[in-house]
């Protein structure tokens, strides 16, 4: 059962990423918010109004990211292929934290059936310039 669910989540994340790439720059995005895709540096992703904000969060390796649920209902934060995150619910006005050790791109979704089409985001873990990596965006 878990293998089937992981396969479904993988397919959903792939569909989201393909549609994001195929969308023009001026199209709606924002993690399902209906606005432009938001891109920021920091350590917090807000969950509000069926949105992950910012849509893209840039962090450094080793940094912990807090996913703070500001909605009046639960959500899930699950990474592609279920390699990070959890199927557990993040209840209203609670948070969950994950630490990202390696540079890379980490897409994620809320897996509730009514949420996954609009609730998606991405972490971009970037090695700072001058610290053994190429740095940059």
């Amino acid at each position: 059962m878990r293998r089937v669910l992981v396969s479904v989540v993988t397919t959903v994340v792939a569909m989201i990423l393909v549609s994001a790439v195929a969308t023009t720059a001026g199209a709606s995005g924002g993690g399902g918010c209906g606005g432009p895709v938001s891109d920021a540096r920091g350590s917090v992703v807000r969950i509000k109004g069926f949105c992950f904000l910012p849509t893209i969060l840039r962090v450094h390796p080793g940094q912990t990211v807090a996913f703070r649920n500001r909605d009046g209902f639960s959500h899930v934060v699950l990474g592609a292929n279920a390699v990070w995150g959890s199927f557990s619910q993040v209840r209203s006005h609670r948070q969950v934290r994950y630490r990202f050790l390696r540079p890379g791109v980490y897409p994620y979704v809320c897996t509730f059936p009514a949420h996954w089409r609009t609730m998606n985001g991405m972490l971009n873990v970037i090695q700072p310039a001058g610290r053994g990596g190429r740095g940059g965006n």
Side-chain angles (χ1 to χ4, degrees):
M1 177 67 176
R2 178 172 166 84
R3 186 178 302 210
V4 170
L5 191 52
V6 169
S7 178
V8 168
V9 170
T10 302
T11 302
V12 168
V13 170
M15 289 177 2
I16 290 167
L17 291 176
V18 167
S19 68
V21 169
T23 305
T24 61
S28 172
C33 298
V37 171
S38 55
D39 185 342
R41 295 181 188 273
S43 62
V44 175
V45 174
R46 289 177 295 119
I47 303 170
K48 185 156 178 67
F50 293 96
C51 301
F52 288 115
L53 299 167
T55 312
I56 301 168
L57 182 66
R58 298 173 188 272
V59 301
H60 297 299
Q63 192 168 347
T64 298
V65 176
F67 293 83
R68 295 183 181 158
N69 186 356
R70 298 299 181 230
D71 276 335
F73 34 85
S74 296
H75 293 289
V76 171
V77 178
L78 185 68
N81 293 330
V83 296
W84 69 273
S86 174
F87 289 99
S88 297
Q89 296 180 20
V90 181
R91 294 186 189 171
S92 176
H93 301 285
R94 305 278 177 154
Q95 71 178 7
V96 62
R97 294 174 179 260
Y98 296 103
R99 187 170 181 212
F100 296 86
L101 299 175
R102 296 182 181 188
V105 175
Y106 298 85
Y108 57 90
V109 298
C110 177
T111 59
F112 285 136
H115 302 187
W116 66 263
R117 289 184 184 163
T118 61
M119 292 191 68
N120 53 80
M122 182 183 78
L123 296 171
N124 191 356
V125 181
I126 305 166
Q127 184 71 38
R131 293 198 176 181
R134 295 188 323 218
N137 292 332

